[in-house]
Amino acid sequence: MAIELYAKDGHTVVVFPDLVRGEDGVQANQFLVCHGDRTALIDPGGALLYTPLSMAISPYAKLKDLTYILASHQDPDIIGAVDRWLMYTPATVCCSRLWGRFVPHSVPHYQKNTGADRFLLIPDRGADIPMGDTVIQAVPAHFLHSVGNFQFYDPVSKILFSGDLGASMVDGPFVAVEDFDAHIPAMLGFHQRYMVSNRVCRLWARMARSMDIDMIVPQHGRPFEGAAMVKRFIDWVEQLECGVDRLTQEDYVAA
């Protein structure tokens, strides 16, 4: 089911939250941003999702007209089907420069039209990705959790697509979080293991507070909507003990 997060003056943002069926894989959200004749598909997933997603976006965008594939990082549930998107669309793949030589490993050597000109490699400080008379901003989120990791900010809808930061393991419909405290258990274990350290959490929080954000939408689970909930999430991330903060010598004792 497609859910429109924003639709105004020719600018549309759509989330597809339920394309992973049953126990086939971890629930994941895919996003499509349309502005005029430009379209950007964010974190489209692996082979498991290529066919259902390509069908789901058809009311909004034709495959032959897709402008960009935006990949927050290199995981299979982010960009595992890059070979198919390169084969069946003219889209440019936008990802960290650190993954520019790794993502092509998912593309067969005999597949044509998959060279460097199909990739836009984002420098560590981020970049503006042109969308006609607006942009999508790739903003740094390195080590949250990948070494080369970006989030994508849409200044028209004021939505921050936060990748794995904010991810939650929940059942039920795609609805905004209403009770933050009750939602923490669905996020905590994942963040403690997959986010690298509190230092990067604090750096990200300072950056996020400087941005005009109406909604934070992670790649897994539910979004955070409205100024109060966005602030609450940023505050939680800033204080999070995670990753290497939690390691002890016991974690490095051979069995």
Side-chain angles (χ1 to χ4, degrees):
M1 178 178 65
I3 299 172
E4 292 187 359
L5 301 178
Y6 183 94
K8 186 177 180 181
D9 298 331
H11 189 91
T12 305
V13 179
V14 187
V15 59
F16 307 93
D18 60 354
L19 298 181
V20 178
R21 302 296 185 183
E23 301 299 321
D24 289 340
V26 176
Q27 183 276 338
N29 304 318
Q30 298 79 47
F31 309 97
L32 180 69
V33 180
C34 304
H35 185 86
D37 63 353
R38 299 294 181 98
T39 51
L41 192 58
I42 300 175
D43 291 347
L48 178 69
L49 290 178
Y50 174 78
T51 298
L53 182 58
S54 62
M55 295 172 63
I57 68 173
S58 60
Y60 299 93
K62 296 178 180 179
L63 291 184
K64 68 180 183 65
D65 297 327
L66 195 62
T67 313
Y68 300 110
I69 300 292
L70 308 185
S72 58
H73 56 290
Q74 79 292 350
D75 282 355
D77 64 325
I78 296 290
I79 195 63
V82 64
D83 57 332
R84 301 188 191 190
W85 294 107
L86 288 171
M87 178 179 291
Y88 296 115
T89 81
T92 297
V93 176
C94 306
C95 66
S96 167
R97 66 177 182 84
L98 297 181
W99 301 120
R101 295 177 64 189
F102 293 88
V103 170
H105 275 265
S106 297
V107 183
H109 68 88
Y110 54 79
Q111 187 171 323
K112 298 180 180 179
N113 192 28
T114 61
D117 60 324
R118 296 291 303 277
F119 289 82
L120 188 162
L121 301 183
I122 305 170
D124 285 346
R125 294 293 297 273
D128 287 345
I129 298 167
M131 292 283 287
D133 60 357
T134 186
V135 298
I136 293 177
Q137 298 172 4
V139 297
H142 307 310
F143 297 100
L144 295 170
H145 62 103
S146 171
V147 298
N149 194 74
F150 287 97
Q151 298 172 349
F152 299 104
Y153 176 70
D154 174 16
V156 177
S157 65
K158 299 181 181 180
I159 295 174
L160 178 66
F161 303 95
S162 61
D164 279 327
L165 190 65
S168 58
M169 304 297 113
V170 294
D171 295 321
F174 180 89
V175 294
V177 174
E178 294 183 354
D179 185 335
F180 189 87
D181 289 332
H183 188 64
I184 288 174
M187 299 187 291
L188 184 59
F190 176 83
H191 283 72
Q192 286 178 330
R193 184 61 189 258
Y194 282 86
M195 302 302 138
V196 168
S197 73
N198 179 254
R199 179 181 179 183
V200 292
C201 288
R202 287 185 279 114
L203 293 173
W204 176 85
R206 292 174 195 161
M207 179 190 70
R209 286 199 185 96
S210 72
M211 301 170 66
D212 186 10
I213 302 171
D214 283 350
M215 184 183 297
I216 295 176
V217 191
Q219 194 224 352
H220 307 281
R222 295 175 180 169
F224 306 91
E225 184 175 9
M229 193 61 71
V230 166
K231 180 181 183 303
R232 186 72 197 281
F233 176 70
I234 294 172
D235 290 346
W236 180 77
V237 171
E238 186 174 45
Q239 300 299 319
L240 182 67
E241 183 184 72
C242 57
V244 296
D245 305 326
R246 294 170 52 82
L247 288 175
T248 70
Q249 189 62 58
E250 293 299 315
D251 297 299
Y252 286 86
V253 175

